[in-house]
Amino acid sequence: MPYIKKGEIADDPYVRLGGDEPVPTDVPVIVPLAWLLAQTPQSLEGRNVPLGVALPNDKPESLLEPYLSRLSLIALDFPIYRDGRAFTQARRLREAYGFTGEIRATGDVLRDQFLFMVRSGFDAFEVRKEHDAKAFAKAVNEFSGLYQPSQASDAHFRFRFAPPFSSSRNQDGSDG
């Protein structure tokens, strides 16, 4: 499955675990939420390789709060393209919890949603089609002006126009 990180197709360094198999301690892994919740945050302190978790979109992101400092990745699922709960989860993880690690979109990740996902806080994507991975850059550059604030840290996504309260505006509202 093609993996996009920082806008480019990359090799996925993580191994995804799905069930009861033992969690290796020498490679980066993405574990199910149930496995993570069965651990105490203190029990993860000795782990020296990156740890990720797959958070289903019907579970609150608050479940991860005690573990966030030990997680390097959170994979959020889009079971079908019409289900947008993962957008909210990503935004809340960035804004409310200050999570700075990778937030990965998985599942039914569509090219049409790349820009919205980036603006919500996603910075990595698993896509089903090689074609969609190659079209990523075009999809996120489709609009040159954006009016709503976002979680995108890339300067490209920042508001390009002076806001009305800018110091470059005169008191009568005119520019410059």
Side-chain angles (χ1 to χ4, degrees):
M1 181 170 294
Y3 167 68
I4 303 169
K5 176 71 177 173
K6 296 182 180 176
E8 298 186 8
I9 299 172
D11 291 327
D12 187 356
Y14 286 85
V15 174
R16 184 181 290 264
L17 303 177
D20 296 332
E21 62 261 45
V23 175
T25 58
D26 57 344
V27 295
V29 294
I30 300 173
V31 297
L33 179 63
W35 183 89
L36 183 70
L37 296 179
Q39 314 300 310
T40 63
Q42 295 76 23
S43 69
L44 301 174
E45 288 178 2
R47 186 172 174 83
N48 294 323
V49 293
L51 176 66
V53 64
L55 180 66
N57 68 355
D58 62 346
K59 302 292 183 194
E61 57 280 353
S62 60
L63 291 173
L64 300 178
E65 188 172 10
Y67 304 94
L68 286 176
S69 65
R70 291 164 180 87
L71 294 174
S72 59
L73 177 153
I74 299 172
L76 301 177
D77 187 39
F78 289 86
I80 59 173
Y81 74 93
R82 296 180 310 217
D83 190 336
R85 289 179 282 184
F87 285 105
T88 303
Q89 288 177 312
R91 187 145 193 152
R92 288 190 44 79
L93 284 165
R94 295 284 191 218
E95 287 181 357
Y97 297 102
F99 183 69
T100 58
E102 178 180 320
I103 296 181
R104 182 183 298 192
T106 66
D108 200 8
V109 177
L110 301 178
R111 176 187 183 277
D112 297 349
Q113 298 173 330
F114 283 155
L115 178 61
F116 304 119
M117 290 178 176
V118 168
R119 295 182 55 75
S120 296
F122 288 94
D123 58 355
F125 310 87
E126 290 179 5
V127 295
R128 294 185 175 153
K129 300 174 188 172
E130 186 80 22
H131 173 74
D132 286 345
K134 292 178 180 173
F136 180 83
K138 182 180 178 189
V140 297
N141 291 310
E142 213 158 14
F143 297 97
S144 61
L146 304 165
Y147 294 95
Q148 297 173 327
S150 79
Q151 290 300 303
S153 59
D154 184 338
H156 170 76
F157 297 107
R158 294 195 183 140
F159 195 71
R160 290 184 172 195
F161 308 105
F165 48 82
S166 169
S167 61
S168 66
R169 294 183 72 102
N170 295 328
Q171 290 199 357
D172 64 356
S174 63
D175 289 326

